[in-house]
Amino acid sequence: MDILGTFWGEGENITILQMSVRAFVMFFIALTLVRIGGMRIFGKRSAFDTIIIIMLGAVLARGVVGASPYWDTVAASSVMIGVHRLLSWLSGKSSRMNNLLKGKALVLYESGNIVWENMRFAALSEEDLMQSLRLETQQESLAVIEKAYMETNGRISFITRHT
């Protein structure tokens, strides 16, 4: 067996050494892909960004364990990063595209009233809203709140009343 075969292997029957070498190389490939993809992949945490994180990990792992050809998984991952960048750019240019990809914030509370239809849509209870109120504003009453939103990243934000 040649030296490349010894350290790299082929197919699904690879040794721990071969998998380790593949993982070492894949780490730097993944790091490069994430740098090309931009920090928004991890910063925004929208469903749009979470999908790329999950898919990227799943596809790259196939190359490490030999379930798919190594360089094919790198190519597929590169395409995913390219598509993510393109869609991110398009969403920055078009509010319609942005809303399609990332959704819109939901009003959960407004002018003294909980918007129950939106609470049900977001699968939130009143206790979920109150817990977020305590965590985000250190308040225990909605009386000081003008509006509350379920943001596209899943967090609840609060706008306080101006007195």
Side-chain angles (χ1 to χ4, degrees), residues 47 74 93 113 122 132 141 156 159:
V74 172
K93 297 287 184 189
N113 297 305
S132 288
S141 169
I156 299 175
I159 308 298

Side-chain angles (χ1 to χ4, degrees), residues 21-155:
V21 169
R22 286 170 171 233
F24 178 80
V25 173
M26 192 64 84
F27 173 83
F28 292 102
I29 291 169
L31 181 62
T32 301
L33 289 173
V34 168
R35 296 291 295 154
I36 290 169
M39 286 310 295
R40 74 151 286 126
I41 292 173
F42 296 101
K44 294 284 188 175
R45 299 281 187 194
S46 67
F48 174 67
D49 300 313
T50 301
I51 288 168
I52 192 71
I53 293 168
I54 292 168
M55 287 183 64
L56 189 63
V59 171
L60 290 176
R62 293 186 62 79
V64 171
V65 300
S68 296
Y70 192 87
W71 296 108
D72 293 358
T73 63
V74 172
S77 299
S78 299
V79 168
M80 288 186 333
I81 291 294
V83 168
H84 185 268
R85 286 289 294 204
L86 175 65
L87 293 175
S88 296
W89 179 78
L90 288 172
S91 70
K93 297 287 184 189
S94 164
S95 61
R96 178 177 274 163
M97 179 63 82
N98 188 58
N99 292 339
L100 177 68
L101 292 174
K102 300 173 195 164
K104 289 173 130 178
L106 283 174
V107 176
L108 301 176
Y109 179 84
E110 184 172 34
S111 303
N113 297 305
I114 293 175
V115 183
W116 289 108
E117 182 179 338
N118 289 348
M119 291 281 287
R120 280 188 292 277
F121 183 78
L124 293 172
S125 68
E126 186 173 359
E127 182 52 38
D128 294 330
L129 183 65
M130 298 307 293
Q131 181 182 38
S132 288
L133 175 71
R134 292 187 299 272
L135 289 169
E136 298 295 326
T137 68
Q138 288 76 48
Q139 300 290 323
E140 291 190 340
S141 169
L142 289 167
V144 297
I145 303 301
E146 180 64 32
K147 283 188 177 183
Y149 296 92
M150 168 64 85
E151 301 295 347
T152 59
N153 65 1
R155 292 190 61 188

